[in-house]
């Protein structure tokens, strides 16, 4: 599976790159007055040229379980990646995590400036909803509205944006740093990174027209994978080099970031990471070999080096 | 009409306030993990307690033309107001327009901090799409998807976000200040403020199930009103006091902001403002007295003192 997995992951990343490139072209859509060149360039910088595209991959492969392929899942995957990249651009800002390096390149506000980074993030988030709501993503409005609502819930105050707020609070910038217990760290991570990863799988199930049993199974898979991914991230921050990761490392502890490594210790965090990855695989027990690629994705999420 | 108009505007503002208050409660929705108190408080600060609520009013009154009233238009109006308030919170940031005062109160990043203001804006934008996509706004998914797509086009890189980018460029912060001609100023303003005002009317027509003739007429009305509103704003910045306006005045010229007062001179800008307000009224020629409140809204948009 590993060679086939790598090939499929790479092929999907290329297809998502092409889709993003086409969506972020210079020509305005109907209903748009004009596309300012500087803003388009910043949105392209924030989204193109890198990344494993794990979220779109999970979406595309979840839809493929139900034999749905092609433009629809790729557009939804590109929208999801825009939402992910908007959050990175905003989280990197000086007022937030103040990061200079992302995917081995200067972060957007370093390459351009803060105002452009804020606006490009805003425009990417908005465009993600545009792409999901457009009929080219799926002919049925009910499917598109389910995709839209899912992204809003995963990305909003009760999901990704809320998780970043909790993360900043845990650092102690609004009073004494809170030493979060394991349960609080898990909830924070389920919001900050888990919700969007789980949505990737959910969106694939929506596009695939999955029945409620299959949706529940995929939802459990997505949540476990999201949690496993974040523990792996915490461990990478401790163990990897900035060179391999393409961004600064060892910063979590220095900032007092809430991590499961901090709450559990390194050895137990690794055990938990592996348990979660296994739980993700086991959630797919009702599927046959057609789900092998998703099982491999669960392993990949915890075995990656960057 | 004037007393009745004031009463209806005030009643709508109260109903929108109640709707926002209910939507921004402490309890998470299905699909949300938790609502961080600090983020909810910031979103409430940015949206509650003030404002004429002109955008929701235009939406509610446009829907009412077709006898559609109640929770649906109010929810859509609240979503629209969230999108408007997110843009204010981000535009006020130090990296953007660096404003300390808004509606007579400290701006969000002054009352809280920059990170909270960025996140609250992000969460408000996301929640606006959530509210539009939710079935309580309208039972028909096709109607909800049209509302969603409309907001995405009006708010994104070819609309409000793009307009703010052009505005920053016109100030000269990315090279020499550009002395914009009248046509460029009009395009910039159509994006930055006109698109969302026009969307307010369009959304009302969508909720009302307007036929294509009525939609075209309301669309022309919305565009003219949006343009009139912005010229009036430019004039207020020159002529009004900070006290009456609840925000700093006289800043446009100091910053080299692109305004029609700058492009045309004050007297001609006033004539243009009145022409545009009249054009908005004339676009409603096909409607009877049921549209009088929208005609009054066009006059109100240019006669307001704040």
């Amino acid at each position: 599976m590993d060679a086939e997995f790598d090939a499929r992951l790479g092929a999907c990343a290329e297809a998502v790159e092409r889709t993003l490139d086409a969506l972020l072209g210079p020509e305005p859509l109907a209903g748009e007055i004009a596309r300012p060149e500087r803003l388009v360039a910043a949105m392209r910088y924030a989204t193109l040229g890198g990344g494993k595209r794990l979220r779109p991959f999970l979406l595309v492969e979840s839809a493929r379980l139900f034999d749905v392929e092609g433009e629809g899942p790729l557009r939804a995957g590109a929208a999801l990646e825009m939402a992910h990249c908007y959050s990175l651009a905003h989280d990197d800002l000086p007022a937030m995590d103040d990061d200079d390096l992302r995917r081995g390149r200067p972060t957007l506000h370093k390459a351009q400036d803060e105002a452009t980074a804020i606006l490009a993030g805003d425009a990417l988030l908005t465009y993600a909803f545009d792409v999901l709501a457009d009929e080219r993503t799926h002919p049925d409005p009910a499917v598109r509205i389910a995709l839209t609502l899912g992204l809003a819930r995963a990305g909003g105050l009760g999901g990704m944006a809320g998780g970043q707020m909790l993360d900043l609070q845990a650092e102690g910038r609004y009073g004494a740093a809170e030493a979060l217990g394991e349960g609080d760290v898990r909830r924070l991570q389920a919001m900050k990174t888990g919700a969007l990863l789980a949505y990737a799988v959910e969106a694939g199930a929506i596009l695939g027209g999955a029945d409620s049993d299959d949706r529940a199974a995929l939802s459990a898979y997505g949540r476990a994978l999201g949690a496993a991914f974040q523990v792996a991230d915490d461990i990478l921050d401790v163990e990897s080099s900035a060179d391999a990761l393409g961004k600064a490392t060892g910063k979590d502890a220095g900032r007092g970031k809430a991590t499961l490594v901090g709450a559990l210790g390194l050895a137990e965090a690794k055990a938990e990471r592996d348990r979660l990855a296994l739980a993700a695989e086991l959630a797919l027990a009702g599927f046959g070999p057609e789900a092998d690629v998703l099982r491999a994705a669960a392993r990949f999420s915890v075995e990656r080096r960057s």
Side-chain angles (χ1 to χ4, degrees), chain A residues 52 67-69 83 100-101 105 121 135 148 153 156-157 159 180 219 243 268 291 295:
Chain A
K52 298 171 291 288
D67 299 318
V68 172
E69 304 183 58
D100 295 346
L101 198 59
R105 297 186 307 172
E135 63 189 359
T148 302
R153 295 275 155 95
L157 81 160
L180 295 191
S219 180
D243 209 38
E268 181 52 30
R295 295 183 184 101

Side-chain angles (χ1 to χ4, degrees), chain A residues 76-88:
Chain A
L80 177 55
E81 194 68 6
M82 287 184 208
H84 174 55
C85 292
Y86 121 75
S87 77
L88 300 180

Side-chain angles (χ1 to χ4, degrees), chain A residues 23-65:
Chain A
L23 288 168
L24 292 164
E27 291 303 318
L29 305 176
E32 292 180 346
I33 297 167
R35 293 188 157 189
E37 201 177 316
R38 182 180 178 83
L39 188 55
V40 171
M43 293 166 78
R44 295 178 65 89
Y45 184 89
T47 51
L48 295 177
K52 298 171 291 288
R53 313 293 190 192
L54 178 62
R55 290 159 192 79
F57 182 70
L58 290 170
L59 190 158
V60 164
E61 291 296 341
S62 297
R64 200 199 301 275
L65 270 187

Side-chain angles (χ1 to χ4, degrees), chain A residues 7 13 30 54 74 79 84 91-92 115 124 128 155 192 197 205 216 234 237 269 298-299 305:
Chain A
L54 178 62
L74 280 173
H84 174 55
D91 285 359
D92 286 339
L124 283 170
K192 185 172 174 177
L197 283 159
D234 293 348
D237 183 74
R299 293 192 296 274
R305 291 279 160 271

